C-alpha cells in the first residue's frame, strides 16, 4: 500500500497484492470483513466521484473517490482516469458512508401478524433513505433449531437489494440450542443474538436462559442484544386494563411504564456483567434505562445502547389521535414524554447512546394488503391485539440530519458515527462497512444537506401505508446511492435490483 501526502488530503492506494484492511476474529470467522471483490465477484464498472465533500466519523475533507471492483481504490485530487470511467459530480453534496441499520424486521412473523415488507421492498426503501447495510432479525421457532430459522431467513433474504446480515432471536435456551449458537457464530457469521425479556409465553426467555446465552456469547466474540422490559409485570397491567374496558391504543403506552424498561435494563446489565459478555440494549426509550446504561458504562462495563428516531422526535401525545390513529404509534417500547426525549438527546451527546437504528417493523394501518391477514385494525376493540411495530427504514438519515445536526448541535461526524460507523463496528462489519476509506466497500451516499422536503408515505418505497412522520419537514436529502460502487439510487430513479444484496458474514461484535 502506498501513502503519499498532498496539500490537502492523504492518498491511499492499493498496490496489487497488498492486503485490504480486515479484522480478524480468533481465526474462526476470518474473512468476514473482507471487501466483496476479494470474494470472487464479477468485474464491475470503475467509478469516479468528483468534488466530494467526504464526511466520515472522523474526517471532513474535499476529494475525489475512485472506485474499482466495488470498493474504494483511491482517495485524492485530480486522479487520472480513462474515458471509460463513469464520472459523478458531487459538487454541493456530502459524500457519506452508506447507512448501517442494525435493527429491522423484514418479512417477519410476529404473533399472528407478519411485517408487510419483503426483503426486496424493505431494502429498496432503505436504499432510498441512504442505508446500504441492514442487519435484520431472524428467529428460532420454539422447539426448532436456530439453524433452521437461519435457513428460512436465507430464503426470504434472497430478494434483498442492499447487503444484509442477521441477528438470531433465541427463544429456547438448552444444551442443543447453545451448541447451535456456537455454530452460528463460528460457521455462519451470525455473531449477535437477541433475547426478549418481554412478551411472556410468546418471545420471552427467563433470566436463567438469558444468562446462559450471555455466557455462551462472551469470549466467542458474540454479543447479546436485549429487548429490556419486565414482561411478566407488563402482562399483569395489560390484562387488568383490558378487563377494565380500557381498550384504546393509549393503554399500550400506559401499561408499559418506563420504570419497567429501566428495571429490565438494569437486570440485563447485572447479568451481562456476571457473564462477562458485551451487551447491546435495543430501542432504548426511557430515562431509567439510560441511567442504568450510563451508570454501568461509568464503571467500565461493556454495555452499548441504541435508540430510534421515533423516540427522538415523537412523544406519547400521538396516542391521543382520533379515529384509532394512535394505533400507528403502537410500537414497543411505547413513545414517552418530552422529558425522556430530552434525556435521549443528552445520551447521544455523552455517548451513553451510541447508535440510532430504526426498528423498522411495519404493519399496515388499514386492512393489510398483499394477502397479509393482520393489520393494526386487528386491535380496534382491544389495544393488546394491535401488532407492535412501526415503519422507519427510509427516513432515518434525513430525520437525524435534520433534527440532530440541524437542531441539536450534532456534528456531521457524529451523525455518520451513530448511523453508520458505530453500528458497523459493534456488529462486526467494520471496516468493510461504515466508513469511506481505501479498501472499504464503496457504499457511498451523496447527500444534499440543504434541501428541505416533506415526508409522505405516498412517496416512500416501503409497502407500508403510513409514515410516523407524515407531513414532517426535514432538511437533508439523499441524492445518489452507490452499493459496492453500483449506482442504485439516482434522485427519484431506482437503478438497483432485487437479489443484488449480499449476505454479510459478520466478525467479532461488541468492540469500538
Ligand atoms: N421489539 C422489537 O424490537 N421490534 C418489534 C417488536 C418489539 O417488541
Ligand atoms: Zn424489541
Ligand atoms: Zn425490533
Amino acid at each position: 500500500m502506498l501513502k503519499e501526502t498532498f496539500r490537502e488530503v492523504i492518498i491511499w492506494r492499493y498496490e496489487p497484492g497488498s492486503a485490504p484492511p480486515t479484522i480478524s476474529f480468533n481465526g474462526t470467522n476470518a474473512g468476514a470483513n473482507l471487501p466483496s471483490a476479494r470474494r470472487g465477484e464479477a468485474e464491475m464498472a470503475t467509478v469516479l466521484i468528483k468534488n466530494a465533500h467526504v464526511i466520515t466519523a472522523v474526517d471532513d475533507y474535499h476529494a475525489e473517490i475512485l472506485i474499482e471492483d466495488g470498493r474504494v481504490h483511491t482517495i485524492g485530487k485530480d486522479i487520472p482516469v480513462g474515458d471509460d470511467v463513469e464520472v459523478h459530480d458531487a459538487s454541493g453534496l456530502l459524500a457519506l458512508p452508506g447507512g448501517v441499520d442494525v435493527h429491522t424486521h423484514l418479512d417477519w412473523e410476529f404473533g399472528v401478524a407478519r411485517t408487510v415488507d419483503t426483503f426486496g421492498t424493505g431494502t429498496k426503501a432503505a436504499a432510498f433513505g441512504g442505508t446500504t447495510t441492514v442487519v435484520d432479525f431472524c428467529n428460532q421457532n420454539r422447539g426448532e433449531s436456530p439453524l433452521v430459522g437461519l435457513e428460512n431467513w436465507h430464503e426470504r433474504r434472497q430478494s434483498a437489494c442492499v447487503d444484509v446480515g442477521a441477528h438470531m432471536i433465541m427463544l429456547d435456551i438448552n444444551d442443543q440450542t447453545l451448541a447451535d449458537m456456537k455454530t452460528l457464530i463460528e460457521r455462519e457469521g451470525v455473531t449477535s443474538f437477541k433475547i426478549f425479556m418481554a412478551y411472556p409465553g410468546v418471545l420471552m426467555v427467563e433470566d436463567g436462559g438469558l444468562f446462559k446465552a450471555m455466557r455462551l456469547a462472551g469470549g466467542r466474540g458474540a454479543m447479546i442484544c436485549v429487548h429490556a422490559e419486565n414482561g411478566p409485570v407488563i402482562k399483569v397491567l395489560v390484562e387488568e386494563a383490558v378487563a377494565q374496558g380500557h381498550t384504546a391504543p393509549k393503554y399500550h403506552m400506559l401499561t408499559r411504564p418506563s420504570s419497567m424498561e429501566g428495571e429490565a435494563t438494569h437486570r440485563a446489565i447485572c447479568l451481562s456483567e456476571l457473564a462477562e459478555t458485551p451487551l447491546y440494549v435495543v430501542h432504548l426509550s426511557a430515562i431509567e434505562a439510560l441511567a442504568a446504561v450510563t451508570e454501568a458504562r461509568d464503571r467500565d462495563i461493556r454495555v452499548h445502547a441504541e435508540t430510534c428516531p421515533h423516540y427522538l422526535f415523537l412523544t406519547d401525545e400521538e396516542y391521543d389521535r382520533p379515529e384509532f390513529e394512535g394505533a400507528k404509534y403502537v410500537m414497543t417500547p411505547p413513545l414517552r414524554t418530552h422529558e425522556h426525549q430530552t434525556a435521549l438527546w443528552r445520551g447521544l451527546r455523552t455517548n451513553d447512546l451510541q447508535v440510532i437504528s430504526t426498528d423498522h417493523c411495519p404493519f399496515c394501518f388499514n386492512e393489510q394488503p398483499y394477502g397479509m391477514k393482520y393489520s393494526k385494525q386487528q386491535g380496534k376493540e382491544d389495544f393488546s391485539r394491535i401488532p407492535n411495530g412501526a415503519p422507519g427504514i427510509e427516513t432515518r438519515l434525513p430525520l437525524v440530519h435534520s433534527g440532530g445536526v440541524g437542531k441539536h448541535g450534532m456534528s456531521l461526524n457524529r451523525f455518520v458515527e451513530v448511523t453508520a460507523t458505530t453500528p458497523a463496528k459493534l456488529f462486526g462489519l467494520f471496516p468493510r462497512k461504515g466508513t469511506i476509506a481505501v479498501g472499504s466497500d464503496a457504499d457511498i451516499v451523496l447527500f444534499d444537506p440543504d434541501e428541505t422536503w416533506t415526508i409522505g408515505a405516498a412517496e416512500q418505497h416501503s409497502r407500508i401505508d403510513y409514515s410516523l412522520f407524515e407531513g414532517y419537514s426535514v432538511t437533508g436529502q439523499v441524492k445518489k446511492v452507490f452499493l459496492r460502487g453500483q449506482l442504485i439510487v439516482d434522485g427519484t430513479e431506482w437503478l438497483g435490483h432485487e437479489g443484488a444484496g449480499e449476505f454479510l458474514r459478520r466478525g467479532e461484535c461488541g468492540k469500538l
Side-chain angles (χ1 to χ4, degrees), residues 285-287 290 315 336-346:
S285 72
I287 290 174
L290 180 58
T315 68
R336 311 270 188 210
T337 60
H338 273 291
E339 215 187 343
H340 292 273
Q341 201 178 81
T342 305
L344 297 180
W345 282 109
R346 192 171 58 241

Side-chain angles (χ1 to χ4, degrees), residues 84-106:
D84 54 341
V85 168
E86 184 183 313
V87 179
H88 296 267
D89 185 359
S91 296
L93 304 175
L94 303 177
L96 311 172
V100 178
D101 187 351
V102 291
H103 191 151
T104 68
H105 301 270
L106 300 173

